[in-house]
Amino acid sequence: MNKLIKKIIIGLSAVLIVVSLMEYNILFAGSGEVVERVSDGDTLVLRGADNQKFTVRLACVDAPEIPHTNKEKNSRRVRDINQFNWGVKAQIRVQELVKQSGDRVKLDIIESDRYGRKLAEVRLKNGTFIQQVLLEEGLAKVYRPYLSKCPSKDIIQQAEAQAQQQKLGVWNDRKFVDPWEYRKFRKAN
């Protein structure tokens, strides 16, 4: 009798554990915001719980630009080619990270910008901080004008310093122009 009761208790416990894990995965899979697309290395388009799309700009960082027009895509200017090559690498890296997280991210919204985008620190389901990854890999730079508003500014600055010291990504490219300088130059021409 005792052996039968033990077997029943062990069996029920196993079933409870499996059901609990399944429910946890179902609940967790639904958490976070759904990423519709990665616009570039520092901008995401998400779909909220109300099924409305909204744009999120990765706070505190600036990734290289990507080409938006055919003219830009066909540009032969070294400055454009260099910027766009790094921009596409940053975009692809963010796409990889988002895909690893089941196309869901968690936002810590700081504010909205003048374009109506939400500025946010963005993390994957496992807690990976997207801005930190981009900075550590040299695929973005700290955007200092907004740094004081970033809750994780110490992590962000440390990640950039690490990449700069190791000469990773854009830090190893003498031709690279900071994205904000590139945009300023592009507007002037």
Side-chain angles (χ1 to χ4, degrees):
M1 182 83 167
N2 281 341
K3 287 184 181 182
L4 180 60
I5 292 174
K6 284 182 182 180
K7 285 183 181 182
I8 291 171
I9 291 173
I10 290 172
L12 286 174
S13 297
V15 169
L16 284 173
I17 290 171
V18 169
V19 169
S20 296
L21 289 174
M22 285 175 38
E23 286 201 19
Y24 174 79
N25 285 333
I26 289 169
L27 290 173
F28 191 73
S31 69
E33 303 290 337
V34 177
V35 178
E36 287 283 316
R37 69 184 165 86
V38 176
S39 298
D40 58 29
D42 55 26
T43 310
L44 309 171
V45 175
L46 287 81
R47 183 172 23 94
D50 59 359
N51 221 21
Q52 296 294 313
K53 291 182 183 179
F54 61 99
T55 303
V56 172
R57 172 78 165 66
L58 301 183
C60 315
V61 301
D62 201 357
E65 297 297 312
I66 63 168
H68 295 285
T69 66
N70 282 332
K71 182 180 178 185
E72 289 176 342
K73 289 175 186 173
N74 297 322
S75 175
R76 300 244 184 256
R77 293 165 61 185
V78 173
R79 179 179 281 213
D80 292 343
I81 292 168
N82 184 272
Q83 185 76 199
F84 299 153
N85 283 340
W86 284 112
V88 169
K89 287 178 185 179
Q91 180 183 31
I92 289 169
R93 185 62 174 125
V94 174
Q95 288 169 336
E96 291 169 353
L97 291 167
V98 167
K99 186 173 183 153
Q100 289 171 11
S101 191
D103 294 324
R104 291 188 178 269
V105 294
K106 295 182 180 187
L107 305 176
D108 181 6
I109 298 172
I110 298 169
E111 66 181 355
S112 293
D113 68 9
R114 64 182 181 205
Y115 304 109
R117 301 176 298 189
K118 297 187 184 313
L119 300 177
E121 290 190 347
V122 182
R123 289 180 170 73
L124 305 179
K125 289 190 307 189
N126 67 3
T128 299
F129 185 22
I130 291 180
Q131 284 97 317
Q132 181 180 8
V133 172
L134 289 173
L135 291 166
E136 286 175 346
E137 295 178 7
L139 295 173
K141 287 195 167 186
V142 171
Y143 193 56
R144 301 209 184 283
Y146 291 104
L147 188 59
S148 64
K149 296 180 181 182
C150 296
S152 302
K153 67 181 174 187
D154 293 337
I155 292 169
I156 286 169
Q157 289 178 350
Q158 183 179 6
E160 182 183 62
Q162 177 183 327
Q164 185 177 12
Q165 182 180 21
Q166 295 175 0
K167 296 188 186 305
L168 298 176
V170 300
W171 295 104
N172 194 34
D173 184 347
R174 292 183 189 154
K175 295 177 186 172
F176 182 73
V177 176
D178 292 332
W180 52 89
E181 291 296 326
Y182 176 81
R183 286 190 300 273
K184 192 185 310 179
F185 174 80
R186 192 169 68 186
K187 283 182 182 179
N189 290 327

